[in-house]
Amino acid sequence: MEREDGPRVPVQRAPRKDAGSGSEVSTDAGTGPGTGTDARPGTGTDAGPGVADGSGAELRFGVLGPVRAWRDGAPVPTGSPQQRALLAALLLRGGRTATAHELIDALWGEEPPSQALAAVRTYASRLRKALDPKVLVSESGGYALRTSAAALDLTAAQELAAEAEKLRAAGDRTAARARLAEALDLWDGEVLASVPGPYAETQRTRLEEWRLTLLETRLDIDLEIGAHAEAVSELTALTAAHPLRERLRELLMLALYRSGRQAEALAVYADTRRLLADELGVDPTPELSRLQQRILQADAELARPVEEAAPAAATVARPAQLPATVPDFTGRASCVRELGARLATAEGHVMAVSALAGIGGVGKTTLAVHVAHEARPHFPDGQLYVDLQGAGSRAAAPETVLGSFLRALGTPDSAIPDSLDDRAALYRSTLDGRRVLILLDNARDAAQIRPLLPGTAGCAALVTSRIRMVDLAGAHLVDLDVMSPDEALQLFTRIVGEERVRSEREAALDVVAACGFLPLAIRIAASRLAARRTWTVSVLAAKLADERRRLDELQAGDLAVKATFELGYGQLEPAQARAFRLLGLADGPDISLAAASAVLDLPQWDTEDLLEALVDTSLLESAAPGRYRYHDLVRLYARACADRDEQPPSEKEAALSRLLDFYLSTAARVYAIERPGDRLVDHLEPTAYEGLTFTDRHEAQDWLYAEANCLLATVRRSASSPGTLRRAVDLLWASLDLAESGANSKEYEAVATVLRGAAGRSGDVRAECRAALTLAYVHHHQGRFDQAEREAEDVVRMARSVDDPLPTCWASNARGAIALYQTRYEDGDKHLTLAIAEFRKAGDRAGEAAALCNLSRIRLATGRKEDAVRMAQQGVDMYDEMGHALRGANGRYALGLALTESGQLAGAGERLREALAVFVDCRQRLWEGMSLFRIAEVDIAARRYGAAAACAEKALTVLRGIGGDWRRGQVLTVLGRALTGIGQSGRAQVCWQEALDIYEKLSVPEASEVRSLLASRAAA
């Protein structure tokens, strides 16, 4: 039930036909100031209400306010103030050519800049691009606009004024007044607002004089039709604004006299005579003096033309203005209770004010109206309601609302004062001692509603707004969120019908999820389905599944989600609108302040100001301190705005490129601080935008895992563009910790798969090689060794073809570790020996240490225990020398295995626990689980079966969802041994049977070992 209007575009009219002759009504100098239109051929003065550019779109122009242009109702940028001055000068010539000299004189007068001619040409070129080359043409050394006369708001005003003159002459004063009011409504603030130059100043004065003349004519008609009482307040304000304009004083005197206020009418004359004498040294005009004499004489001809009854005394009225509540109101039970309890406390206490805020379409008005109806028994003296139009371009003026409220409360027009303060005071006095509920719907800000608050005990105000009213003292603030999934489904079902939804519940859930659980979107979707009996819920769900079409699908009748968002967007300042558009391009569940700064290319403090302003308008949500997010539908709308409005279009790609640079630069620093001496960061793609810096490893890790979802989403989005593909691949490589973390492993694998495919399709072998490397590591960590080997083999082949040495080193190291798990020890020894040599050649000591530790495990598996201990210790020493804590833990892990097999159980347990502590600290869940598993093996060797069982159980918990089935089989096997040691042979058998099922499914040699364990258990 949100009532919101779109941006106002001046109404244009085609020339009207005279009913008698069939000829067009002329617009001559006697009607208005004119535009200089001479109806010369080629100007299109006989066209319809607009002018079509080269694309067939209709152009309109406005000068009765800021100089503006619209194409099919959408604003067209008109550039700098001087550029708008050029456009205004051409528009007001009505199609005649303006020479360069005339335009220079119009823009700068007698003191043009040295480059004035070049500037005029530049402005004309920019306008031609913005409008259309066929609209702004060059001829005879100057420029002209080929537009229809009716495309200009000034022309429309002239036509309306001419028609009003004819109607008044024909005796139809009511219709004449309506035409004049329509003409005056075309003014939108100061004429040619902020347009510089002497020509603009002259035109501004001329058109303002004409506006006042039209206003005087309309007020004269008001008095003719008996609306003198209503005219008094307007004339009072006008005479204050234009004190030397005697015609306005004359009309005010007549209006006061006809309203029975003879003394005030005479006082106006006395004030006027004194002012003219003091300011100009002249007497009032003869017309004003004659009117004074007629008032003194109580001239019968001055009597009001329509006999009116004497003003009646104020009556006690009980307004009941609340709109009807919706019959299918759903959910919001806690909000209804909270607001209802608040309103119920108004009696006998200080006025209660509750302010509901939320995104457009979230159901603020619906909820407020429902709560207000339930609270009616607490307010027996009435309920007032107003739509304040705060989301539109013309919010309701408080004084106008107060006038309406006072009338509804029984105050006669003649008793309603003119000023805002006086009306607010009378309003509060009228409410004193009464119990009235005021519903102020769709407020713009706190300043708009403060005069409308009753301020007395017994009354209450309920406010809805897209802005959080944090500056409204004493208000109870309620932030209205979207519906819960259950509430959303319930609303959808109530509109569509239980029978249709029951059989397609999953599809219905998909529909409300696609609507983002936004009540307006759900109502529109459900209404469309209810009106189409041949559609199923699945058909609607399929239509909404397409994000590109979703907003277009969410409209029914005069309800449209896009239109609701458009109102809020239209109120944004240019910098806020740019931020709204560009931030919507970023994927991920939310965005940090630092990442948003990269997107906008602004300092963080400026970015924060913009984002907080968007939060205040409910177009953006504050997910947590320093983090922001869009509602799903608002994000789609923001992207549509970016496609439509962002200029130049390349700025979208630039914004996303800066975001990718930010993540890559920052992830590289995280990698470097965690892995000192590792050469990967020297081989990444360069970035143009700097990322964050960190003071310690924990801060860096916190950033990486906090940004994981957003980072991976950015990588996925960047895969589709050749210009960002390589950086996206390198970002994934630098974020390899996410593959081992558990929480992000599946998404990391999905993104790596997308990158591998995108790189292959693009023909970029270097990018494909590196993407394949990340995928090889993913398969390795998940225990899919065959797939990992195939990817690593491809990496070696591709890396050599493009001379990319680092992936070759990494792939050789990975192939050695894979061979270890597949018991291909000779192959593993060969791959790792090669990897050590390649890492040394590249000067990568961290990589060399990793290969040494892996080779240690190959030597251990082939019975060369002393070599295994020596190599693992060498790797640990290298890591410690570099201060490489994380990979040092991997070295200690390998050393612990070698010591275990060598019978040095105390040293093995110590090294493995050291490794475990680092893995826990670095959030490496895969290696945390594997360290617990290896500690359990040490405990079994030391016959500490209870401790072994505890460690194995922890390992199963930590490795849930990561590490793959093969590693789970290993842990289950060891857990079975530990359980046997503590006498729980039944549980041990279950563990071994599960491990056997896993191994047989994988067809790995470990199955024979487990069969032996089960056989020995059966024999016992």
Side-chain angles (χ1 to χ4, degrees):
M1 288 181 62
E2 306 251 358
R3 291 165 174 78
E4 298 153 329
D5 296 323
R8 177 181 176 273
V9 178
V11 176
Q12 310 286 350
R13 289 173 176 262
R16 288 179 169 78
K17 302 284 185 179
D18 180 80
S21 64
S23 61
E24 291 185 350
V25 176
S26 64
T27 305
D28 56 24
T31 304
T35 63
T37 302
D38 58 2
R40 61 184 289 241
T43 63
T45 53
D46 60 346
V51 59
D53 63 14
S55 65
E58 185 179 10
L59 283 170
R60 299 179 186 278
F61 299 92
V63 294
L64 299 179
V67 176
R68 291 174 290 186
W70 297 268
R71 178 180 284 108
D72 283 346
V76 175
T78 52
S80 66
Q82 285 79 10
Q83 190 169 309
R84 294 197 300 274
L86 177 67
L87 177 60
L90 294 173
L91 285 168
L92 292 173
R93 277 171 168 76
R96 295 196 309 274
T97 300
T99 66
H101 176 75
E102 289 175 328
L103 292 173
I104 290 172
D105 188 60
L107 268 63
W108 293 287
E110 296 179 358
E111 296 181 358
S114 59
Q115 300 296 319
L117 181 58
V120 166
R121 289 171 177 167
T122 299
Y123 299 150
S125 175
R126 290 174 181 170
L127 283 171
R128 186 179 288 114
K129 290 178 182 177
L131 302 175
D132 187 88
K134 296 180 181 179
V135 174
L136 177 56
V137 299
S138 303
E139 61 178 22
S140 304
Y143 299 94
L145 280 174
R146 293 292 180 251
T147 68
S148 69
L152 185 64
D153 57 359
L154 175 57
T155 306
Q158 291 171 319
E159 292 169 359
L160 289 165
E163 186 176 357
E165 186 175 346
K166 282 180 171 288
L167 290 167
R168 188 181 187 188
D172 192 350
R173 290 174 297 184
T174 301
R177 185 199 183 282
R179 293 291 180 269
L180 285 171
E182 192 175 350
L184 289 165
D185 195 45
L186 291 174
W187 267 262
D188 189 13
E190 183 185 32
V191 172
L192 305 177
S194 302
V195 174
Y199 180 80
E201 187 58 35
T202 300
Q203 296 299 319
R204 193 177 293 118
T205 302
R206 182 172 64 87
L207 292 173
E208 175 59 14
E209 175 62 26
W210 185 51
R211 185 187 72 86
L212 288 172
T213 300
L214 292 180
L215 192 55
E216 289 169 345
T217 303
R218 198 217 76 206
L219 287 163
D220 196 11
I221 295 175
D222 284 346
L223 300 187
E224 290 178 1
I225 62 177
H228 35 265
E230 292 82 357
V232 168
S233 61
E234 187 175 1
L235 282 164
T236 301
L238 285 169
T239 53
H242 306 280
L244 299 177
R245 201 170 181 92
E246 292 182 72
R247 176 57 177 157
L248 289 175
R249 298 271 181 161
E250 182 181 349
L251 291 171
L252 177 58
M253 289 173 64
L254 185 58
L256 287 168
Y257 178 72
R258 288 181 176 173
S259 299
R261 300 157 72 177
Q262 181 180 4
E264 288 182 60
L266 293 171
V268 169
Y269 178 83
D271 291 339
T272 304
R273 183 175 61 182
R274 188 181 310 110
L275 178 67
L276 291 173
D278 293 342
E279 295 291 330
L280 304 176
V282 299
D283 292 324
T285 61
E287 291 83 357
L288 201 63
S289 298
R290 280 196 296 272
L291 178 62
Q292 184 235 12
Q293 289 300 315
R294 294 177 69 186
I295 291 173
L296 286 171
Q297 298 165 6
D299 190 333
E301 291 183 10
L302 288 181
R304 50 183 177 251
V306 179
E307 194 64 31
E308 297 176 346
T315 58
V316 177
R318 290 181 174 81
Q321 297 182 344
L322 294 179
T325 187
V326 294
D328 48 25
F329 182 84
T330 303
R332 309 295 198 190
S334 61
C335 287
V336 171
R337 286 194 300 271
E338 178 183 354
L339 292 169
R342 178 80 178 177
L343 294 177
T345 64
E347 184 179 357
H349 296 78
V350 177
M351 173 203 57
V353 179
S354 296
L356 273 167
I359 186 177
V362 80
K364 302 180 292 296
T365 300
T366 301
L367 174 60
V369 169
H370 181 81
V371 169
H373 274 283
E374 289 202 343
R376 285 184 65 184
H378 297 288
F379 302 96
D381 294 322
Q383 305 86 40
L384 295 170
Y385 170 86
V386 64
D387 179 3
L388 293 170
Q389 298 290 326
S393 59
R394 296 195 175 203
E399 52 264 46
T400 302
V401 176
L402 284 170
S404 175
F405 279 177
L406 286 167
R407 293 184 190 96
L409 292 167
T411 306
D413 282 355
S414 59
I416 297 176
D418 296 330
S419 73
L420 172 62
D421 290 342
D422 288 344
R423 288 188 178 192
L426 178 59
Y427 170 66
R428 291 190 294 271
S429 299
T430 304
L431 289 176
D432 186 35
R434 302 170 75 173
R435 289 158 58 189
V436 176
L437 173 62
I438 300 95
L439 176 47
L440 305 173
D441 191 20
N442 197 10
R444 178 184 57 198
D445 51 31
Q448 185 189 25
I449 65 171
R450 284 194 187 99
L452 309 180
L453 300 178
T456 55
C459 293
L462 190 55
V463 183
T464 74
S465 175
R466 299 190 182 195
I467 304 294
R468 293 194 81 241
M469 298 286 180
V470 292
D471 51 346
L472 189 61
H476 175 64
L477 304 181
V478 177
D479 291 324
L480 193 59
D481 202 352
V482 297
M483 287 181 148
S484 69
D486 287 343
E487 288 178 337
L489 183 61
Q490 186 180 359
L491 174 60
F492 183 79
T493 303
R494 284 187 172 182
I495 299 172
V496 173
E498 177 71 32
E499 184 178 348
R500 296 179 75 180
V501 174
R502 187 188 306 115
S503 59
E504 294 186 279
R505 179 180 172 81
E506 290 302 318
L509 288 171
D510 290 341
V511 169
V512 297
C515 292
F517 308 109
L518 189 71
L520 175 62
I522 296 167
R523 182 171 296 281
I524 291 171
S527 298
R528 290 191 68 197
L529 183 61
R532 291 161 175 81
R533 303 304 301 177
T534 60
W535 283 16
T536 63
V537 181
S538 298
V539 168
L540 179 60
K543 287 179 175 291
L544 295 179
D546 184 357
E547 288 189 352
R548 296 168 300 179
R549 291 279 306 158
R550 187 175 298 168
L551 287 176
D552 294 327
E553 294 289 346
L554 290 174
Q555 54 184 0
D558 61 351
L559 294 177
V561 172
K562 186 186 295 186
T564 297
F565 296 157
E566 185 77 37
L567 289 169
Y569 175 66
Q571 298 298 303
L572 299 179
E573 297 175 0
Q576 296 169 351
R578 174 180 179 267
F580 174 75
R581 295 191 299 268
L582 293 183
L583 291 176
L585 299 173
D587 283 336
D590 58 8
I591 190 168
S592 67
L593 178 59
S597 297
V599 172
L600 302 180
D601 198 17
L602 293 173
Q604 284 201 23
W605 50 87
D606 291 339
T607 301
E608 185 173 22
D609 288 344
L610 289 173
L611 268 57
E612 288 297 326
L614 291 176
V615 169
D616 287 341
T617 63
S618 298
L619 286 172
L620 194 66
E621 301 173 21
S622 180
R627 300 198 73 85
Y628 301 86
R629 69 185 175 208
Y630 284 96
H631 182 276
D632 290 345
L633 295 179
V634 178
R635 185 199 298 273
L636 293 179
Y637 174 72
R639 290 180 176 176
C641 289
D643 291 339
R644 181 190 68 192
D645 300 339
E646 198 58 47
Q647 297 296 332
S650 59
E651 176 58 11
K652 294 185 296 181
E653 287 71 30
L656 290 173
S657 181
R658 289 192 297 268
L659 179 62
L660 180 60
D661 275 358
F662 166 77
Y663 279 130
L664 176 54
S665 177
T666 308
R669 288 172 178 166
V670 174
Y671 189 95
I673 202 171
E674 286 192 331
R675 298 170 176 81
D678 196 306
R679 294 292 307 280
L680 170 61
V681 293
D682 300 326
H683 293 262
L684 299 175
E685 284 287 301
T687 58
Y689 191 92
E690 286 293 313
L692 301 176
T693 57
F694 303 101
T695 57
D696 62 70
R697 178 168 55 85
H698 293 94
E699 183 185 5
Q701 288 172 354
D702 288 343
W703 179 88
L704 180 64
Y705 291 107
E707 292 290 334
N709 290 326
C710 298
L711 182 152
L712 292 174
T714 300
V715 172
R716 183 189 286 270
R717 183 180 180 91
S718 303
S720 59
S721 171
T724 56
L725 177 59
R726 288 193 173 187
R727 280 178 288 157
V729 171
D730 282 1
L731 174 54
L732 196 65
W733 191 4
S735 308
L736 194 60
D737 282 349
L738 299 178
E740 303 177 13
S741 68
N744 308 104
S745 301
K746 289 184 177 179
E747 180 60 18
Y748 187 98
E749 178 179 353
V751 173
T753 303
V754 169
L755 281 182
R756 175 77 152 94
R761 289 188 297 273
S762 72
D764 189 335
V765 179
R766 182 179 182 276
E768 185 179 6
C769 167
R770 295 186 171 204
L773 180 63
T774 64
L775 206 49
Y777 270 83
V778 167
H779 291 316
H780 178 200
H781 294 320
Q782 293 298 324
R784 299 188 289 265
F785 301 120
D786 289 340
Q787 293 167 269
E789 170 64 16
R790 286 194 296 271
E791 294 288 355
E793 188 175 3
D794 284 348
V795 170
V796 173
R797 173 181 53 79
M798 289 187 286
R800 287 173 178 164
S801 72
V802 294
D803 192 25
D804 193 7
L806 197 61
T808 305
C809 304
W810 278 58
S812 297
N813 186 37
R815 295 184 75 187
I818 293 164
L820 167 67
Y821 291 126
Q822 294 183 323
T823 67
R824 296 184 288 108
Y825 302 127
E826 185 177 346
D827 289 343
D829 200 301
K830 180 180 67 175
H831 291 315
L832 291 167
T833 301
L834 176 62
I836 291 170
E838 289 172 333
F839 277 125
R840 284 176 180 164
K841 181 180 178 180
D844 192 334
R845 297 189 70 236
E848 179 186 348
L852 275 170
C853 292
N854 284 333
L855 185 55
S856 162
R857 296 185 61 184
I858 291 283
R859 298 293 168 85
L860 184 64
T862 54
R864 289 174 281 183
K865 297 178 183 178
E866 290 183 6
D867 277 358
V869 172
R870 177 180 56 80
M871 288 181 172
Q873 186 62 61
Q874 185 180 352
V876 169
D877 292 342
M878 293 174 68
Y879 281 134
D880 288 349
E881 182 181 339
M882 291 181 284
H884 207 321
L886 178 58
R887 290 312 173 208
N890 287 114
R892 284 170 170 77
Y893 179 88
L895 181 56
L897 299 186
L899 292 173
T900 301
E901 291 296 319
S902 300
Q904 303 178 50
L905 300 183
E910 187 175 345
R911 299 291 84 76
L912 287 168
R913 286 185 173 84
E914 289 172 354
L916 175 63
V918 174
F919 290 139
V920 170
D921 188 49
C922 293
R923 309 177 199 181
Q924 294 294 306
R925 288 183 58 212
L926 172 63
W927 293 108
E928 177 188 349
M930 292 306 295
S931 297
L932 287 165
F933 160 63
R934 296 303 184 182
I935 292 171
E937 287 187 321
V938 173
D939 286 335
I940 287 175
R943 298 183 180 277
R944 296 190 292 267
Y945 297 113
C951 280
E953 287 285 6
K954 288 180 183 177
L956 282 177
T957 301
V958 172
L959 291 173
R960 184 177 295 125
I962 59 173
D965 290 340
W966 179 78
R967 288 186 175 88
R968 178 174 176 80
Q970 284 188 302
V971 179
L972 286 167
T973 302
V974 168
L975 178 57
R977 292 180 184 274
L979 291 171
T980 299
I982 60 175
Q984 297 185 22
S985 55
R987 280 187 63 197
Q989 189 170 357
V990 172
C991 290
W992 288 336
Q993 186 59 56
E994 184 179 348
L996 179 60
D997 293 341
I998 290 172
Y999 290 148
E1000 287 180 339
K1001 181 180 178 181
L1002 297 175
S1003 301
V1004 293
E1006 286 85 349
S1008 60
E1009 177 193 356
V1010 179
R1011 288 194 194 96
S1012 298
L1013 290 171
L1014 286 169
S1016 63
R1017 175 61 195 153

